[in-house]
Amino acid sequence: MSFAALWESLLPVGRDGGTGGYRRFSWTPADAECRRWFFTAAEERHLRADTDRNGNLWAWWDPPGIVDPGAGPGAVVTGSHLDSVPDGGAFDGPLGVVTAFAAIDLLRERGVAPSRPLAVAAFCEEEGARFGVACLGSRLLAGAIGPDRARGLRDRDGTTFAEAMTAAGRDPAAIGPDPGLVAGIAAYVELHIEQGRALADTDAAIGVAERIWPHGRWRLTFTGRADHAGTTRLGDRRDPMLACAAAILAARGAAARQGAMATVGKVIAEPGAVNAISSSVTAWLDARAPDEAHLHSVVERVLAQARAAATAQGVGLDASQESVTPAVDFDAALRDRLVATLAAAGIPAPVLPTGAGHDAGVLAARVPAGMLFVRNPTGVSHSPAEHAEPGDCATGVTALAAVLADLACS
Ligand code: GLV
Ligand code: MN
Ligand code: MN
């Protein structure tokens, strides 16, 4: 099956008819449909598919003639994720998974077979859209988050990760680090749509990742006093929304001063009445910076200003860190090898840093990892408008096939 047919078969899954955006949240019916799609794609290719203890999906192309794939040379793994942010685009995640299957098709068409295990992976809850911690499946696999903490993470309705897993027929008691699986991986290469415009005005359809900025998420809950919007004198109010608004503006100011990024993209006001002062407002701060010193300086400044605003408004503030991912410098030898392989295939690929988080960044702490980016003409991502041209996706398949041939088939 060509890239286009495989891509089309996934497109309707979890797409909202109104916005055109994707709502593929872990352990929901849309997620189950994505998982079925993965198993079908694997089955059509006679790949050995399974779900690991942490809910990540794997489709293995075992090297011909090797009876015990676990005992031979380390595996080369490619893939990405199938979950989305709320109203996300079609490409962030799925492009890496569809391209991986299409690259296997291309290798087979060329009569190329692996000399070591080659796997396509789709990691669980990469976006953290339902349970708050990004790259949860790869973090669990790599031991970058404790299983108890992961089991207890709650979604917006109070359902825990453990409960959601159980409802989906998986065993949450089994989650946690999987050193055996990790030890069997010789390299992980993730192809991803570029989430910026570094390639947009160049002749290059493909880039190679250099590093990922350190980034993290913080939850700020401002607690005030619910009261009547029409009768409570302004001076008598304890309005948490005002302190939250000050914190949001502080985030923008701190990011601008420090050459960083800081975003509040999610705010929940309780009880959420138009004609009442809120009793509480929770805001999530996403902060990213070129280095850890700048990241922590941005967050400290935002928290200091949030505390000052809370005091001024007479409201409480509870601030907690939900996740932090340190800076990732991708394996230099693998990165240079990717660039050289692509150059030999006639695909010039500039080396780019990124502010976006990826499972490859988490796995980089345990195995040599690298990334290929596919050009995004507008740079828009985490939006229904996210797009890559079909010709660039085709180049992505060719590029990934060249990389897999070099790493797994030589
Ligand atoms: C994932 O896309 C992230 O960077 O948050
Ligand atoms: Mn994303
Ligand atoms: Mn992604």
Side-chain angles (χ1 to χ4, degrees):
M1 190 189 272
S2 68
F3 173 88
L6 199 51
W7 183 253
E8 297 284 325
S9 67
L10 183 59
L11 271 187
V13 180
R15 183 167 54 194
D16 182 77
T19 64
Y22 287 87
R23 299 176 181 179
R24 293 170 175 159
F25 309 132
S26 323
W27 308 123
T28 61
D31 180 68
E33 224 182 309
C34 287
R35 288 167 184 272
R36 280 195 293 277
W37 172 90
F38 183 95
F39 276 92
T40 301
E43 197 179 318
E44 284 166 354
R45 288 163 181 78
H46 311 290
L47 304 174
R48 182 172 52 84
D50 56 31
T51 306
D52 72 16
R53 298 195 272 114
N54 296 305
N56 305 309
L57 305 176
W58 301 81
W60 295 93
W61 183 6
D62 297 321
I66 292 195
V67 184
D68 178 3
V76 170
V77 181
T78 185
S80 190
H81 60 97
L82 296 173
D83 66 314
S84 76
V85 297
D87 277 339
F91 294 79
D92 177 357
L95 185 62
V97 181
V98 173
T99 303
F101 284 124
I104 287 179
D105 291 349
L106 190 55
L107 292 176
R108 285 181 168 157
E109 274 166 40
R110 292 177 181 166
V112 177
S115 50
R116 52 172 76 231
L118 202 173
V120 179
F123 291 99
C124 178
E125 181 79 356
E126 191 273 349
E127 299 287 8
R130 181 167 179 195
F131 293 101
V133 175
C135 300
L136 188 56
S138 56
R139 277 184 211 272
L140 279 163
L141 170 69
I145 186 171
D148 284 339
R149 176 162 179 239
R151 275 187 283 267
L153 292 170
R154 287 183 190 277
D155 71 4
R156 195 178 175 147
D157 301 325
T159 303
T160 64
F161 186 72
E163 289 163 351
M165 260 189 115
T166 305
R170 308 295 313 172
D171 177 12
I175 68 173
D178 200 334
L181 183 51
V182 173
I185 301 174
Y188 176 62
V189 179
E190 177 168 353
L191 178 145
H192 204 278
I193 185 167
E194 193 202 347
Q195 295 169 292
R197 300 195 71 257
L199 297 174
D201 299 322
T202 74
D203 291 335
I206 305 295
V208 171
E210 178 194 41
R211 65 191 305 269
I212 299 181
W213 283 15
H215 55 280
R217 300 179 179 190
W218 288 260
R219 178 166 42 186
L220 280 63
T221 300
F222 300 89
T223 309
R225 188 186 59 217
D227 214 331
H228 197 288
T231 59
T232 317
R233 291 180 303 186
L234 296 182
D236 292 342
R237 296 181 180 209
R238 289 171 46 213
D239 185 347
M241 189 62 83
L242 295 178
C244 182
I248 294 169
L249 292 174
R252 174 59 182 245
R257 263 190 303 278
Q258 309 249 15
M261 301 287 181
T263 308
V264 176
K266 179 175 170 182
V267 175
I268 298 177
E270 299 288 0
V274 174
N275 53 355
I277 296 158
S278 301
S279 56
S280 75
V281 177
T282 300
W284 280 263
L285 170 70
D286 175 306
R288 310 178 188 224
D291 58 56
E292 270 145 43
H294 282 86
L295 176 66
H296 292 299
S297 160
V298 165
V299 174
E300 274 162 27
R301 188 163 181 95
V302 175
L303 293 182
Q305 290 190 241
R307 275 187 216 102
T311 304
Q313 299 301 332
V315 307
L317 169 59
D318 178 46
S320 61
Q321 178 184 293
E322 291 204 323
S323 65
V324 166
T325 305
V328 174
D329 286 298
F330 284 111
D331 186 271
L334 178 58
R335 183 195 64 211
D336 292 349
R337 187 164 170 175
L338 298 178
V339 172
T341 302
L342 296 181
I347 303 171
V351 174
L352 316 168
T354 179
H358 299 285
D359 296 304
V362 172
L363 294 176
R366 295 278 178 275
V367 303
M371 292 191 74
L372 306 182
F373 293 127
V374 171
R375 178 165 52 194
N376 177 336
T378 62
V380 172
S381 187
H382 285 183
S383 150
E386 183 179 79
H387 180 70
E389 291 295 333
D392 288 350
C393 295
T395 306
V397 175
T398 312
L400 187 61
V403 163
L404 298 179
D406 173 52
L407 295 174
C409 306
S410 45

